[in-house]
Amino acid sequence: MRGPRSIEIWKMGAVNYLEALKLQEKLASDRKTHKIKDTSLSLQHPPTFTLGKRRTVHNVLVSEAELKAMGAELHYTERGGDATFHGPHQAILYPIISLRDIGIGARKYVENLESTMIELASLYGVKARAGETGETGVWVGRRKIGAIGVRISSGVTSHGLAFNIDPDLNYFKHIVPCGIPDKEVTSLQKEVGLGQKLPSEQVIHEQLVSCFTKIFGYTDITWRDKTSVSSDGHE
C-alpha cells in the first residue's frame, strides 16, 4: 500500500526569470536521481516575455530593444507553448515532480494543471474552462486567464503555469499570447469586477497551491520560505 504522497512547496516571492530557470534545472536533475522529493516553486517574476522551444519570434510584436525600454526582458526557453508574459501580480507554479511516481502521463498532467486554475477561479465565482482545439491554458469565455507551458524530461516536469491575479494587461498587447491571435487576456480582478476586493496575493498564491495539491493527490505538504534562496538551491 502506498504511503502519503509528499511534496515540498518553496515560497519564493519575486524571482528573476533566469535565476528561477537555473533553479528548476538543478531541482529537476536532483529529482531524476531521487536526491529530492517532488517540489514546486511558488513565485512571480519581474516583467518578462518568454518564447517556447518553437522560437515563434513573430509572435513578439515589438523589438527586444523596445522591450528593454519598457523594463521587460525576453528569454528563449525549452518549454512547450508559445509567446507569453510573466510579471508582477501573477501567480506562478513551477512543479518539479516525477510523473512516473504518481502514475500519470503528459496529457493528464496538463489537464490537471488546467483543473488547478479552473478550481482557483471558481473560488471567486469565476467560471473558467480548459482551452478548446487550438487553444492552450485556461479561459473565461474567450478571454485567457491562465497560461501553461511545460517541459518533461525523463518523466520529470519543469516550467508550469501562470495565473493572472491582477497584472498590467497592457504588456500582453506586445505579443500574440500563446500564438493565438484575436483573443483577449483577462485577470481574476477584471473578472470579479473592480468593486470586489481580492484578498492579499499571498493568500491567492496559497490557494493556487492548495488547488494543485488537492488535484494531484498530495497529502503530505511541507512549506518552505525560500525568499532568499540562490539558483543552486542554497539559502
Side-chain angles (χ1 to χ4, degrees), residues 59-97:
N59 286 328
V60 179
L61 305 178
V62 293
S63 70
E64 196 163 347
E66 289 173 290
L67 293 179
K68 285 181 180 176
M70 66 180 75
E73 298 179 351
L74 174 65
H75 293 293
Y76 300 87
T77 76
E78 292 304 311
R79 61 162 173 78
D82 210 298
T84 195
F85 170 76
H86 296 310
H89 314 300
Q90 195 179 58
I92 294 172
L93 271 187
Y94 290 145
I96 315 295
I97 66 176

mmCIF file of all heavy atoms in Angstrom, residues 59-97:
data_model
loop_
_atom_site.group_PDB
_atom_site.id
_atom_site.type_symbol
_atom_site.label_atom_id
_atom_site.label_comp_id
_atom_site.label_asym_id
_atom_site.label_seq_id
_atom_site.Cartn_x
_atom_site.Cartn_y
_atom_site.Cartn_z
ATOM 1 N N ASN A 59 5.600 36.143 -32.984
ATOM 2 C CA ASN A 59 4.508 36.425 -32.052
ATOM 3 C C ASN A 59 4.894 37.439 -30.970
ATOM 4 O O ASN A 59 4.087 37.754 -30.101
ATOM 5 C CB ASN A 59 4.010 35.130 -31.416
ATOM 6 C CG ASN A 59 3.189 34.310 -32.396
ATOM 7 O OD1 ASN A 59 2.506 34.866 -33.253
ATOM 8 N ND2 ASN A 59 3.266 32.995 -32.301
ATOM 9 N N VAL A 60 6.125 37.940 -31.033
ATOM 10 C CA VAL A 60 6.526 39.105 -30.238
ATOM 11 C C VAL A 60 6.466 40.303 -31.170
ATOM 12 O O VAL A 60 7.157 40.348 -32.182
ATOM 13 C CB VAL A 60 7.954 38.932 -29.665
ATOM 14 C CG1 VAL A 60 8.345 40.174 -28.853
ATOM 15 C CG2 VAL A 60 8.031 37.683 -28.789
ATOM 16 N N LEU A 61 5.613 41.264 -30.854
ATOM 17 C CA LEU A 61 5.242 42.304 -31.812
ATOM 18 C C LEU A 61 6.114 43.554 -31.742
ATOM 19 O O LEU A 61 5.914 44.485 -32.528
ATOM 20 C CB LEU A 61 3.770 42.684 -31.603
ATOM 21 C CG LEU A 61 2.782 41.500 -31.662
ATOM 22 C CD1 LEU A 61 1.362 41.975 -31.384
ATOM 23 C CD2 LEU A 61 2.868 40.788 -33.013
ATOM 24 N N VAL A 62 7.055 43.585 -30.807
ATOM 25 C CA VAL A 62 7.978 44.722 -30.700
ATOM 26 C C VAL A 62 9.404 44.182 -30.615
ATOM 27 O O VAL A 62 9.612 42.988 -30.365
ATOM 28 C CB VAL A 62 7.660 45.611 -29.476
ATOM 29 C CG1 VAL A 62 6.323 46.299 -29.642
ATOM 30 C CG2 VAL A 62 7.695 44.803 -28.184
ATOM 31 N N SER A 63 10.376 45.049 -30.817
ATOM 32 C CA SER A 63 11.770 44.611 -30.799
ATOM 33 C C SER A 63 12.242 44.373 -29.375
ATOM 34 O O SER A 63 11.647 44.865 -28.407
ATOM 35 C CB SER A 63 12.660 45.670 -31.447
ATOM 36 O OG SER A 63 12.722 46.821 -30.614
ATOM 37 N N GLU A 64 13.338 43.620 -29.265
ATOM 38 C CA GLU A 64 13.906 43.369 -27.939
ATOM 39 C C GLU A 64 14.347 44.674 -27.287
ATOM 40 O O GLU A 64 14.240 44.849 -26.077
ATOM 41 C CB GLU A 64 15.070 42.391 -28.053
ATOM 42 C CG GLU A 64 15.470 41.773 -26.732
ATOM 43 C CD GLU A 64 16.317 40.526 -26.869
ATOM 44 O OE1 GLU A 64 16.419 39.970 -27.988
ATOM 45 O OE2 GLU A 64 16.882 40.093 -25.860
ATOM 46 N N ALA A 65 14.826 45.615 -28.099
ATOM 47 C CA ALA A 65 15.230 46.921 -27.563
ATOM 48 C C ALA A 65 14.027 47.662 -26.964
ATOM 49 O O ALA A 65 14.138 48.293 -25.907
ATOM 50 C CB ALA A 65 15.868 47.762 -28.669
ATOM 51 N N GLU A 66 12.886 47.571 -27.643
ATOM 52 C CA GLU A 66 11.669 48.216 -27.124
ATOM 53 C C GLU A 66 11.211 47.557 -25.828
ATOM 54 O O GLU A 66 10.735 48.227 -24.905
ATOM 55 C CB GLU A 66 10.552 48.164 -28.173
ATOM 56 C CG GLU A 66 10.790 49.075 -29.371
ATOM 57 C CD GLU A 66 9.763 48.867 -30.472
ATOM 58 O OE1 GLU A 66 9.792 47.799 -31.130
ATOM 59 O OE2 GLU A 66 8.923 49.773 -30.660
ATOM 60 N N LEU A 67 11.358 46.227 -25.753
ATOM 61 C CA LEU A 67 11.006 45.527 -24.515
ATOM 62 C C LEU A 67 11.891 45.996 -23.371
ATOM 63 O O LEU A 67 11.414 46.249 -22.251
ATOM 64 C CB LEU A 67 11.129 44.013 -24.697
ATOM 65 C CG LEU A 67 10.143 43.351 -25.665
ATOM 66 C CD1 LEU A 67 10.413 41.853 -25.749
ATOM 67 C CD2 LEU A 67 8.703 43.603 -25.248
ATOM 68 N N LYS A 68 13.185 46.117 -23.644
ATOM 69 C CA LYS A 68 14.111 46.584 -22.605
ATOM 70 C C LYS A 68 13.756 47.990 -22.165
ATOM 71 O O LYS A 68 13.840 48.330 -20.980
ATOM 72 C CB LYS A 68 15.551 46.529 -23.125
ATOM 73 C CG LYS A 68 16.124 45.119 -23.200
ATOM 74 C CD LYS A 68 17.560 45.129 -23.710
ATOM 75 C CE LYS A 68 18.108 43.707 -23.775
ATOM 76 N NZ LYS A 68 19.478 43.669 -24.358
ATOM 77 N N ALA A 69 13.354 48.837 -23.117
ATOM 78 C CA ALA A 69 12.997 50.221 -22.794
ATOM 79 C C ALA A 69 11.795 50.293 -21.856
ATOM 80 O O ALA A 69 11.677 51.234 -21.060
ATOM 81 C CB ALA A 69 12.712 51.002 -24.076
ATOM 82 N N MET A 70 10.912 49.299 -21.952
ATOM 83 C CA MET A 70 9.747 49.292 -21.043
ATOM 84 C C MET A 70 10.035 48.510 -19.753
ATOM 85 O O MET A 70 9.138 48.265 -18.955
ATOM 86 C CB MET A 70 8.511 48.740 -21.769
ATOM 87 C CG MET A 70 8.585 47.299 -22.155
ATOM 88 S SD MET A 70 7.084 46.714 -23.026
ATOM 89 C CE MET A 70 7.281 47.433 -24.647
ATOM 90 N N GLY A 71 11.315 48.114 -19.573
ATOM 91 C CA GLY A 71 11.716 47.443 -18.336
ATOM 92 C C GLY A 71 11.437 45.960 -18.320
ATOM 93 O O GLY A 71 11.353 45.355 -17.255
ATOM 94 N N ALA A 72 11.295 45.352 -19.502
ATOM 95 C CA ALA A 72 10.985 43.924 -19.585
ATOM 96 C C ALA A 72 12.147 43.160 -20.221
ATOM 97 O O ALA A 72 12.948 43.733 -20.973
ATOM 98 C CB ALA A 72 9.716 43.698 -20.398
ATOM 99 N N GLU A 73 12.226 41.879 -19.922
ATOM 100 C CA GLU A 73 13.238 41.003 -20.505
ATOM 101 C C GLU A 73 12.585 40.034 -21.474
ATOM 102 O O GLU A 73 11.380 39.768 -21.384
ATOM 103 C CB GLU A 73 13.943 40.200 -19.399
ATOM 104 C CG GLU A 73 14.688 41.050 -18.391
ATOM 105 C CD GLU A 73 15.348 40.213 -17.311
ATOM 106 O OE1 GLU A 73 15.093 38.987 -17.243
ATOM 107 O OE2 GLU A 73 16.136 40.778 -16.534
ATOM 108 N N LEU A 74 13.382 39.490 -22.407
ATOM 109 C CA LEU A 74 12.911 38.450 -23.319
ATOM 110 C C LEU A 74 13.825 37.245 -23.180
ATOM 111 O O LEU A 74 15.052 37.379 -23.231
ATOM 112 C CB LEU A 74 12.923 38.938 -24.769
ATOM 113 C CG LEU A 74 12.579 37.894 -25.846
ATOM 114 C CD1 LEU A 74 11.137 37.424 -25.702
ATOM 115 C CD2 LEU A 74 12.808 38.461 -27.248
ATOM 116 N N HIS A 75 13.226 36.056 -22.954
ATOM 117 C CA HIS A 75 14.022 34.839 -22.792
ATOM 118 C C HIS A 75 13.460 33.719 -23.667
ATOM 119 O O HIS A 75 12.248 33.606 -23.857
ATOM 120 C CB HIS A 75 14.033 34.384 -21.330
ATOM 121 C CG HIS A 75 14.754 35.342 -20.430
ATOM 122 N ND1 HIS A 75 16.108 35.554 -20.516
ATOM 123 C CD2 HIS A 75 14.295 36.162 -19.441
ATOM 124 C CE1 HIS A 75 16.464 36.453 -19.614
ATOM 125 N NE2 HIS A 75 15.382 36.844 -18.963
ATOM 126 N N TYR A 76 14.378 32.924 -24.200
ATOM 127 C CA TYR A 76 14.038 31.749 -25.006
ATOM 128 C C TYR A 76 14.147 30.519 -24.109
ATOM 129 O O TYR A 76 15.146 30.351 -23.399
ATOM 130 C CB TYR A 76 14.984 31.636 -26.204
ATOM 131 C CG TYR A 76 14.919 32.832 -27.116
ATOM 132 C CD1 TYR A 76 15.707 33.959 -26.873
ATOM 133 C CD2 TYR A 76 14.055 32.850 -28.209
ATOM 134 C CE1 TYR A 76 15.636 35.069 -27.703
ATOM 135 C CE2 TYR A 76 13.981 33.955 -29.039
ATOM 136 C CZ TYR A 76 14.781 35.066 -28.782
ATOM 137 O OH TYR A 76 14.705 36.164 -29.605
ATOM 138 N N THR A 77 13.132 29.662 -24.131
ATOM 139 C CA THR A 77 13.090 28.536 -23.206
ATOM 140 C C THR A 77 12.904 27.225 -23.961
ATOM 141 O O THR A 77 12.659 27.209 -25.166
ATOM 142 C CB THR A 77 11.916 28.692 -22.211
ATOM 143 O OG1 THR A 77 10.689 28.374 -22.885
ATOM 144 C CG2 THR A 77 11.838 30.105 -21.658
ATOM 145 N N GLU A 78 13.005 26.135 -23.221
ATOM 146 C CA GLU A 78 12.810 24.796 -23.793
ATOM 147 C C GLU A 78 11.461 24.199 -23.404
ATOM 148 O O GLU A 78 11.254 22.994 -23.522
ATOM 149 C CB GLU A 78 13.948 23.872 -23.339
ATOM 150 C CG GLU A 78 15.302 24.239 -23.920
ATOM 151 C CD GLU A 78 15.288 24.284 -25.437
ATOM 152 O OE1 GLU A 78 14.793 23.318 -26.057
ATOM 153 O OE2 GLU A 78 15.750 25.291 -26.018
ATOM 154 N N ARG A 79 10.541 25.041 -22.950
ATOM 155 C CA ARG A 79 9.203 24.548 -22.618
ATOM 156 C C ARG A 79 8.361 24.445 -23.876
ATOM 157 O O ARG A 79 8.705 24.991 -24.928
ATOM 158 C CB ARG A 79 8.518 25.490 -21.616
ATOM 159 C CG ARG A 79 8.332 26.890 -22.164
ATOM 160 C CD ARG A 79 7.302 27.690 -21.397
ATOM 161 N NE ARG A 79 7.255 29.083 -21.842
ATOM 162 C CZ ARG A 79 6.660 29.509 -22.933
ATOM 163 N NH1 ARG A 79 6.047 28.657 -23.743
ATOM 164 N NH2 ARG A 79 6.658 30.791 -23.256
ATOM 165 N N GLY A 80 7.216 23.782 -23.750
ATOM 166 C CA GLY A 80 6.231 23.820 -24.812
ATOM 167 C C GLY A 80 5.483 25.150 -24.768
ATOM 168 O O GLY A 80 5.708 25.981 -23.894
ATOM 169 N N GLY A 81 4.578 25.331 -25.712
ATOM 170 C CA GLY A 81 3.801 26.565 -25.739
ATOM 171 C C GLY A 81 4.464 27.634 -26.591
ATOM 172 O O GLY A 81 5.506 27.414 -27.205
ATOM 173 N N ASP A 82 3.860 28.805 -26.610
ATOM 174 C CA ASP A 82 4.288 29.880 -27.490
ATOM 175 C C ASP A 82 4.682 31.095 -26.648
ATOM 176 O O ASP A 82 5.123 30.953 -25.515
ATOM 177 C CB ASP A 82 3.150 30.206 -28.467
ATOM 178 C CG ASP A 82 3.634 30.723 -29.795
ATOM 179 O OD1 ASP A 82 4.272 31.798 -29.803
ATOM 180 O OD2 ASP A 82 3.387 30.082 -30.832
ATOM 181 N N ALA A 83 4.501 32.282 -27.208
ATOM 182 C CA ALA A 83 4.868 33.513 -26.508
ATOM 183 C C ALA A 83 3.959 33.746 -25.312
ATOM 184 O O ALA A 83 2.738 33.580 -25.396
ATOM 185 C CB ALA A 83 4.778 34.698 -27.467
ATOM 186 N N THR A 84 4.569 34.159 -24.207
ATOM 187 C CA THR A 84 3.760 34.513 -23.047
ATOM 188 C C THR A 84 4.466 35.587 -22.240
ATOM 189 O O THR A 84 5.633 35.909 -22.477
ATOM 190 C CB THR A 84 3.436 33.289 -22.173
ATOM 191 O OG1 THR A 84 2.377 33.634 -21.267
ATOM 192 C CG2 THR A 84 4.641 32.828 -21.373
ATOM 193 N N PHE A 85 3.723 36.166 -21.294
ATOM 194 C CA PHE A 85 4.249 37.226 -20.437
ATOM 195 C C PHE A 85 4.153 36.790 -18.988
ATOM 196 O O PHE A 85 3.147 36.213 -18.564
ATOM 197 C CB PHE A 85 3.450 38.525 -20.635
ATOM 198 C CG PHE A 85 3.773 39.581 -19.612
ATOM 199 C CD1 PHE A 85 4.955 40.308 -19.698
ATOM 200 C CD2 PHE A 85 2.923 39.833 -18.549
ATOM 201 C CE1 PHE A 85 5.277 41.262 -18.739
ATOM 202 C CE2 PHE A 85 3.219 40.782 -17.589
ATOM 203 C CZ PHE A 85 4.407 41.508 -17.687
ATOM 204 N N HIS A 86 5.198 37.077 -18.232
ATOM 205 C CA HIS A 86 5.176 36.892 -16.781
ATOM 206 C C HIS A 86 5.490 38.230 -16.125
ATOM 207 O O HIS A 86 6.355 38.973 -16.612
ATOM 208 C CB HIS A 86 6.221 35.874 -16.328
ATOM 209 C CG HIS A 86 5.988 34.496 -16.844
ATOM 210 N ND1 HIS A 86 4.769 33.861 -16.733
ATOM 211 C CD2 HIS A 86 6.804 33.626 -17.477
ATOM 212 C CE1 HIS A 86 4.861 32.655 -17.271
ATOM 213 N NE2 HIS A 86 6.075 32.494 -17.734
ATOM 214 N N GLY A 87 4.802 38.523 -15.029
ATOM 215 C CA GLY A 87 5.075 39.784 -14.360
ATOM 216 C C GLY A 87 4.442 39.863 -12.989
ATOM 217 O O GLY A 87 3.826 38.898 -12.509
ATOM 218 N N PRO A 88 4.604 41.012 -12.346
ATOM 219 C CA PRO A 88 4.004 41.206 -11.030
ATOM 220 C C PRO A 88 2.492 40.975 -11.053
ATOM 221 O O PRO A 88 1.840 41.176 -12.080
ATOM 222 C CB PRO A 88 4.338 42.669 -10.714
ATOM 223 C CG PRO A 88 5.551 42.975 -11.546
ATOM 224 C CD PRO A 88 5.371 42.180 -12.810
ATOM 225 N N HIS A 89 1.977 40.541 -9.934
ATOM 226 C CA HIS A 89 0.539 40.296 -9.745
ATOM 227 C C HIS A 89 0.044 39.112 -10.578
ATOM 228 O O HIS A 89 -1.098 39.087 -11.041
ATOM 229 C CB HIS A 89 -0.283 41.553 -10.031
ATOM 230 C CG HIS A 89 0.278 42.783 -9.390
ATOM 231 N ND1 HIS A 89 0.436 42.894 -8.022
ATOM 232 C CD2 HIS A 89 0.778 43.931 -9.928
ATOM 233 C CE1 HIS A 89 0.981 44.066 -7.734
ATOM 234 N NE2 HIS A 89 1.208 44.706 -8.870
ATOM 235 N N GLN A 90 0.930 38.151 -10.745
ATOM 236 C CA GLN A 90 0.617 36.889 -11.410
ATOM 237 C C GLN A 90 1.103 35.776 -10.478
ATOM 238 O O GLN A 90 2.161 35.900 -9.867
ATOM 239 C CB GLN A 90 1.365 36.845 -12.746
ATOM 240 C CG GLN A 90 0.909 35.799 -13.730
ATOM 241 C CD GLN A 90 1.731 35.880 -15.020
ATOM 242 O OE1 GLN A 90 2.950 35.755 -14.969
ATOM 243 N NE2 GLN A 90 1.082 36.081 -16.142
ATOM 244 N N ALA A 91 0.336 34.718 -10.350
ATOM 245 C CA ALA A 91 0.730 33.582 -9.506
ATOM 246 C C ALA A 91 1.301 32.485 -10.388
ATOM 247 O O ALA A 91 0.612 31.983 -11.281
ATOM 248 C CB ALA A 91 -0.471 33.065 -8.711
ATOM 249 N N ILE A 92 2.554 32.130 -10.132
ATOM 250 C CA ILE A 92 3.248 31.150 -10.955
ATOM 251 C C ILE A 92 3.583 29.924 -10.114
ATOM 252 O O ILE A 92 4.029 30.045 -8.971
ATOM 253 C CB ILE A 92 4.531 31.752 -11.556
ATOM 254 C CG1 ILE A 92 4.158 32.858 -12.548
ATOM 255 C CG2 ILE A 92 5.400 30.685 -12.216
ATOM 256 C CD1 ILE A 92 5.343 33.648 -13.069
ATOM 257 N N LEU A 93 3.364 28.752 -10.704
ATOM 258 C CA LEU A 93 3.778 27.488 -10.088
ATOM 259 C C LEU A 93 4.675 26.750 -11.068
ATOM 260 O O LEU A 93 4.296 26.546 -12.231
ATOM 261 C CB LEU A 93 2.567 26.597 -9.779
ATOM 262 C CG LEU A 93 1.855 26.723 -8.443
ATOM 263 C CD1 LEU A 93 0.807 25.606 -8.329
ATOM 264 C CD2 LEU A 93 2.808 26.666 -7.277
ATOM 265 N N TYR A 94 5.850 26.341 -10.586
ATOM 266 C CA TYR A 94 6.759 25.515 -11.371
ATOM 267 C C TYR A 94 6.914 24.169 -10.654
ATOM 268 O O TYR A 94 7.783 24.019 -9.791
ATOM 269 C CB TYR A 94 8.121 26.191 -11.508
ATOM 270 C CG TYR A 94 8.156 27.422 -12.389
ATOM 271 C CD1 TYR A 94 8.995 28.484 -12.082
ATOM 272 C CD2 TYR A 94 7.366 27.525 -13.529
ATOM 273 C CE1 TYR A 94 9.066 29.611 -12.904
ATOM 274 C CE2 TYR A 94 7.415 28.646 -14.343
ATOM 275 C CZ TYR A 94 8.269 29.691 -14.020
ATOM 276 O OH TYR A 94 8.330 30.808 -14.827
ATOM 277 N N PRO A 95 6.088 23.182 -10.971
ATOM 278 C CA PRO A 95 6.213 21.869 -10.314
ATOM 279 C C PRO A 95 7.409 21.094 -10.875
ATOM 280 O O PRO A 95 7.584 20.979 -12.089
ATOM 281 C CB PRO A 95 4.893 21.166 -10.662
ATOM 282 C CG PRO A 95 3.974 22.253 -11.154
ATOM 283 C CD PRO A 95 4.881 23.244 -11.805
ATOM 284 N N ILE A 96 8.224 20.567 -9.984
ATOM 285 C CA ILE A 96 9.327 19.667 -10.335
ATOM 286 C C ILE A 96 8.939 18.312 -9.760
ATOM 287 O O ILE A 96 9.268 17.974 -8.611
ATOM 288 C CB ILE A 96 10.672 20.137 -9.747
ATOM 289 C CG1 ILE A 96 10.863 21.654 -9.942
ATOM 290 C CG2 ILE A 96 11.825 19.338 -10.339
ATOM 291 C CD1 ILE A 96 10.990 22.104 -11.376
ATOM 292 N N ILE A 97 8.162 17.554 -10.520
ATOM 293 C CA ILE A 97 7.588 16.320 -9.978
ATOM 294 C C ILE A 97 7.824 15.156 -10.939
ATOM 295 O O ILE A 97 7.999 15.353 -12.137
ATOM 296 C CB ILE A 97 6.073 16.476 -9.682
ATOM 297 C CG1 ILE A 97 5.274 16.670 -10.966
ATOM 298 C CG2 ILE A 97 5.837 17.639 -8.720
ATOM 299 C CD1 ILE A 97 3.750 16.725 -10.745
#
